[in-house]
Amino acid sequence: MSADILVAFPSEYKYLNLVDLVCNEIIDGMGFQHEAANEIAISVIEACTNALEHGNKCCPEENVHVIFSMQPDRLVVEIQDHGEGFDFKDYLKHIPDPTNIHKQRGRGIFIMKRMMDALIFEMLPDGGMKVKLEKMLSKNGN
Amino acid sequence: MSADILVAFPSEYKYLNLVDLVCNEIIDGMGFQHEAANEIAISVIEACTNALEHGNKCCPEENVHVIFSMQPDRLVVEIQDHGEGFDFKDYLKHIPDPTNIHKQRGRGIFIMKRMMDALIFEMLPDGGMKVKLEKMLSKNGN
Amino acid sequence: MILDLHGKLMGGPDADNIRDLLHGIIDGGSKKIIVNLGGVNWINSTGVGILMTGYTTMRRNGGDLKLLNVSDRLQSILYVTKLNLIFECFDDEAEAVESFFRE
Amino acid sequence: MILDLHGKLMGGPDADNIRDLLHGIIDGGSKKIIVNLGGVNWINSTGVGILMTGYTTMRRNGGDLKLLNVSDRLQSILYVTKLNLIFECFDDEAEAVESFFRE
Ligand SMILES: Nc1ncnc2c1ncn2[C@@H]1O[C@H](COP(=O)(O)OP(=O)(O)O)[C@@H](O)[C@H]1O
Ligand SMILES: Nc1ncnc2c1ncn2[C@@H]1O[C@H](COP(=O)(O)OP(=O)(O)O)[C@@H](O)[C@H]1O
């Protein structure tokens, strides 16, 4: 059994705050510990930033959909945009080194991959892209 | 032009907190002043409580949908449930006196009506009920 | 007798818990009760209804119920429902206690 | 030179503002800069990238950039991206200032 919470918001940076609030409330309610909680919140925001920037091209008429699925042993978060996606299979094989000090961008996917237990990209049949993030609740509540 | 934020949550009291958080963030962002902000937050929670209790009968498989529509001159909030509704036309004609000290319940609709600029009930064509709340942004930001 | 409430006050199981608490207090012989809402971070009209029922219960048993540390939001609800005319509210515990002795 | 940042640090217009600020500081002759993040309540990887670009800009101009009051969340991002090996971080302003003189 899972309980789902859905949040949809226009593709503008200023609403990321709101997603962060909701995310933190859900994480707290599920009993994730401080470090795991931080990792989830950071990753959800990275995925939402990508969805609104790269997916929806910051077009405020396009929404980003976030579904938080609270399962007994884990939190699954799905972030959907209406964009054309990208060649994620290839990208995931050659994630750039985030320590490269000359680059301002390109650390988001690396961070999600390191911080979450699962990171899955998917093209949606009706168009748009979905990023799925999973984090397990460890038995001691972490 | 309006920007819409959607939140959907299972029909359990514990999620009202989350709606309250989102609502307050939106109200703040729009620049409502303290008293108006309080009145909106109280009314949205009353409507959500009714939707989950009376509409969805606290069934956690049924979601409550809340749409915050941020318009230049006002905030419109629509709260939808999957229930059978009630005879609101008749009810609105004879709203009970909330000072009646023997009653534990029955103050929600009275409160919304007093606190908001508009309160509209509607049956949805696909089943379920919608409550629409409106609050104007006054020119001095109240 | 001061009753410190914490968390949410919004119907569902809360209503029953508080009814039980109040009946426990009455059975214990206390008649004058101050409900300290300082720890209540969340209230709706059903929560107000619970307080109202508590008030009625106390009055019926020859007692009284007053409120301490009423939040802004509760204040708005009380005002609009005119229940501010029924509940005595205090911001200061000593004053609330004293008010019972002055009567 | 201490640069106090406030609010959000997350790309979009923020990136340009901070680039301009840093160039202003360099043009003004300062080479040693401490970025105080105590007022930043919100950061993501793009915000970190902005700091990184700032760091590179300062180094290229013979200066340095250090961080003050790094939040837990930023700490996690720096750690995972190994940028903690690049940025010197301080919790105490006096210590941060002093570190420039010790070099
Ligand atoms: N939702 C998305 N839609 C389209 N492309 C994306 C999406 N998310 C990521 N990408 C692509 O993957 C690249 C790497 O993303 P990321 O690691 O988050 O770094 P950054 O966003 O800083 O470029 C992006 O530059 C973009 O080309
Ligand atoms: N979403 C809804 N679906 C069905 N009935 C409703 C709904 N909202 C309100 N009602 C009806 O209107 C009545 C009055 O509601 P309200 O004034 O909020 O008081 P209370 O919820 O405390 O009973 C409810 O008891 C219920 O019968």
Side-chain angles (χ1 to χ4, degrees), chain A residues 50-51 53-55 81 85-86 91 105-110 129, chain D residues 46:
Chain A
N50 282 348
E53 269 182 16
H54 304 304
D81 61 52
F86 70 111
Y91 191 90
R105 302 293 306 263
R107 296 182 181 86
I109 291 175
F110 178 87
M129 205 179 77
Chain D
T46 314

Side-chain angles (χ1 to χ4, degrees), chain A residues 80-81 83 122-130:
Chain A
Q80 299 179 15
D81 61 52
E122 217 176 281
M123 294 311 297
L124 294 169
D126 301 337
M129 205 179 77
K130 176 160 98 181

